[in-house]
Amino acid sequence: MTPRSTFLAFMLSIVSLAICSSHGSDSITSNQSLSGDQKLLSVGGNFVLGFFTKNKTSSKFYIGIWYKRVSELTPVWVANRATPVSDITKSLLHISKDGNLALLDQSINSPVWSTNATIPSNSSTVAVLQDNGNLVLRDAVDSANIFWQSFDNPTHMWLPGIKINFNKITKVSRRIISWKNSEDPALGLFSNSNLEDTQNVLQWNMSKIYWTSGPWNGRIFINLPEMTSQYLFKLTFVNTSEESYFTFSLLDNTTTPYVAYVMDVSGQMKAVLWVETAQQWTQIFAAPAQCEVTNFCGPFGSCNEQSQQHCSCVKGFSQRSPKDWALRDYSGGCVRDTPLQSCNGTSSDYAGEGDKFSHMSNVRLPNDGRTMQVGNDDECLQRATKNFSDKLGAGSFGSVSKGALPDSTAIAVKKLEGLRQGEKQFRAEVSTLGTIQHVNLVRFRGFCAEGKERLLVFYYMPNGSLDSHLFHGNDSVLDWSTRYRIALGIARGLEYLHEKCRECIIHCDIKPENILLDVEFNPKIADFGLAKLLGREFSHVLTSMRGTIGYLAPEWITGLAITPRADVYSFGMMLLEIISGKRNTEQLEESGNYYFPAVAAVKVTEDTVQCLLDDRLQGNANMDELIIACRVACWCIQGLESQRPTMGLVVRMLEGLMEVSIPPIPSIFRALVIN
Ligand SMILES: *[C@@H]1O[C@H](CO)[C@@H](O)[C@H](O)[C@H]1NC(C)=O
Ligand SMILES: *[C@@H]1O[C@H](CO)[C@@H](O)[C@H](O)[C@H]1NC(C)=O
Ligand SMILES: *[C@@H]1O[C@H](CO)[C@@H](O)[C@H](O)[C@H]1NC(C)=O
Ligand SMILES: *[C@@H]1O[C@H](CO)[C@@H](O)[C@H](O)[C@H]1NC(C)=O
Ligand SMILES: *[C@@H]1O[C@H](CO)[C@@H](O)[C@H](O)[C@H]1NC(C)=O
Ligand SMILES: *[C@@H]1O[C@H](CO)[C@@H](O)[C@H](O)[C@H]1NC(C)=O
Ligand SMILES: *[C@@H]1O[C@H](CO)[C@@H](O)[C@H](O)[C@H]1NC(C)=O
Ligand SMILES: *[C@@H]1O[C@H](CO)[C@@H](O)[C@H](O)[C@H]1NC(C)=O
Ligand SMILES: *[C@@H]1O[C@H](CO)[C@@H](O)[C@H](O)[C@H]1NC(C)=O
Ligand SMILES: *[C@@H]1O[C@H](CO)[C@@H](O)[C@H](O)[C@H]1NC(C)=O
Ligand SMILES: *[C@@H]1O[C@H](CO)[C@@H](O)[C@H](O)[C@H]1NC(C)=O
């Protein structure tokens, strides 16, 4: 089975309705109403409003707004979040007598939701669904006279144009609030709002702040630079005497119209983008790390960043409500399996077997709240690796061993060799590495610098490195969509290193061995920052290393300056291997001596790329994606670094957001392919 990312599962699992617009209008006037399957359609055809449910057997229906052209029904706003109706044919969205837009449940003959605005009695109103997803209740005659709008009352999504404001007069911030669980849009426990000092924060139960964006420096949030993306959207801060607010706009709303922030049921704020070629929402970023969400796993729950289902119960406890857990609501936590026996005040109880404290290692209590967090043990982790006996691999920069913390949490420990710098400098460099976090980078856990010993500690990635999946065996051939997702993830990780970190980091050693996979086959780039850590030693070793040379850009050999485009070249080489499932250096059986990248470059110019696909896939690949991947790879391996795209552009091209033209045959291969 193809492992898939489970983020936004709540959106993906929504059962789609037959989208037919029998109402066919973008507005409701005082003599109209909407009921049953009827829908409003915005003028440009971007958004639909109507009844939806994600689970028809539960008969809970909501009025919502969703994207017309996104094939997965994705509500961006919900009216009656906490008051569903059970029979849509007996429910009516209409302009009530007081001029408000209201939802009437005729089966109980009672209004279940209303815009509840103050409207002058002599005014006649109309509700209009605008093409940006905003539902506006305004004066029927004077269109500038707006009484209420959904953009001022957002639910769980922050769309372009919505202002997350702080009202300086009432001292209240607008809030977007998570769903209760993956099926139920009722108010959940997690919310996003602004603090007066312009920080964007996440809060649990409207009280405890568990994440802050850090101050706005005029361009970015200090703690989350990727919250503003140079390609997709632009975040703006506005400060007036009445309010301050953040809003964002899309840089290109024709090719990338579907970008939104969502306050997810996971308690994470996520930025997501609909990728048409993949027919899937992909995550641009999520903050904070899952286990840093307050009370995420509930009482007696423990959170583990590394496991696929983050929450589990501590020993001796079981899920209070497995039904809620299945819907990704862990807030009920866990309950004791057997009641405590002793300490009950009656002496007879003491005679029996008393209760004892159970030792739990490698777990830390949360700073606040009640969920424990597994991990965070920075101790020099030789004992943990059984004297480095369980080697995962050895590179020229040192060996990597698998180890375990006392509670058997797996870690990977890299022992650096050939490092000349002193302890102080090492600590300084490594501390910088520790601040770099991205879903597509291996997470750094700690380090040791004692005497001559230099150890780096990382989260262990159970599914090994990409090379073992690409080049070995027949049983577990990576399918095309997983390969494409892996390529895109690697590109995003590199884009982050090159363009989003405070200091640009050139990886210098991109190859399948340095791409690790987590349980869901999400790629994580390993060994970033080593080039900097090892300095001159690094380039020396790198260029003389067997097995790496095939990925090295010509400038490594010609001695020109190394820029981020050197990584782009290596990425291109690796992308060809992801496509073909073979080492570039392997000879092609039929074409004799031809070097695969050169053959690929020719096929790309001829636009006959099908034959480049790994034949174990038997042609099972999305052809559009295959063409994109092949073209991107060939652009990346151009001999002149100025002809190669930046990683940012690579990401855009792989996401299908940017046309990829046919690249020229790289100059270095022309000699190989001319005859
Ligand atoms: C509904 O009301 C609008 C004005 O409010 C009017 O233009 C329209 O003709 C009315 N439609 C019907 C079917 O009565
Ligand atoms: C829908 O809801 C019903 C009743 O709450 C539940 O039994 C069923 O498992 C749900 N179905 C899905 C697909 O979630
Ligand atoms: C409607 O608004 C009034 C104040 O204008 C408020 O007191 C009341 O609670 C609101 N009702 C609902 C259902 O939101
Ligand atoms: C409605 O009444 C207000 C005063 O309450 C007045 O200012 C306004 O002009 C009136 N509008 C119309 C359309 O009569
Ligand atoms: C794109 O921007 C234009 C101009 O700002 C606007 O009219 C249009 O509605 C926007 N489209 C979407 C899908 O938001
Ligand atoms: C949230 O806070 C309210 C008080 O503001 C409290 O009554 C409620 O129990 C809290 N919810 C949880 C899940 O602790
Ligand atoms: C916002 O404006 C107020 C004055 O209206 C000023 O005191 C405050 O420092 C400004 N905040 C920021 C973050 O610029
Ligand atoms: C104490 O003992 C009573 C009676 O045996 C029992 O009902 C109760 O649950 C016990 N209390 C605890 C904390 O275990
Ligand atoms: C690790 O090595 C030391 C000394 O070389 C030895 O005493 C110890 O038993 C070894 N530990 C393991 C787990 O092999
Ligand atoms: C990937 O990891 C999962 C979970 O640890 C494991 O069940 C599976 O066998 C692994 N697959 C490979 C090919 O290593
Ligand atoms: C893969 O399968 C092919 C034929 O299906 C077989 O010839 C080959 O030996 C297999 N390779 C491995 C590594 O099992």
Side-chain angles (χ1 to χ4, degrees), residues 655-668:
E655 281 171 344
L657 305 177
M658 185 179 233
E659 197 75 30
V660 199
S661 55
I662 295 181
I665 294 176
S667 52
I668 45 172

Side-chain angles (χ1 to χ4, degrees), residues 540-554:
H540 192 79
V541 176
L542 190 71
T543 45
S544 60
M545 193 162 37
R546 275 187 71 214
T548 289
I549 204 83
Y551 305 92
L552 288 185

